Amino acid sequence: METILVIELITLYGVFIIGALFWVVTEINDAIKKHKKEKAKKNFDPLEKF
């Protein structure tokens, strides 16, 4: 019985870690995309003035 509980704990912990890593990766990707968009806007600003 105890071994089954340990295996369940390990699997749940693994799923939690994978979910957390996936969330962190998506957050970083969103931040990079926003940064690139803002950078692109800044680069195009002088062109819009003329």
Side-chain angles (χ1 to χ4, degrees), residues 1-13:
M1 187 69 188
E2 286 179 16
T3 52
I4 292 167
L5 286 172
V6 169
I7 290 164
E8 283 182 7
L9 273 171
I10 290 167
T11 51
L12 282 171
Y13 194 65

Side-chain angles (χ1 to χ4, degrees), residues 9 12 14-15 21 23-24 28-29 31 36 42-44 49:
L9 273 171
L12 282 171
V15 168
L21 280 172
W23 177 74
V24 167
I28 290 168
N29 279 341
K36 281 184 178 175
K42 284 179 185 174
N43 289 345
F44 290 126
K49 288 175 185 172

Side-chain angles (χ1 to χ4, degrees), residues 28-50:
I28 290 168
N29 279 341
D30 287 347
I32 289 167
K33 284 177 184 174
K34 283 181 183 175
H35 184 69
K36 281 184 178 175
K37 280 182 182 177
E38 286 174 11
K39 211 173 185 183
K41 283 180 183 174
K42 284 179 185 174
N43 289 345
F44 290 126
D45 274 348
L47 296 172
E48 288 173 8
K49 288 175 185 172
F50 294 109

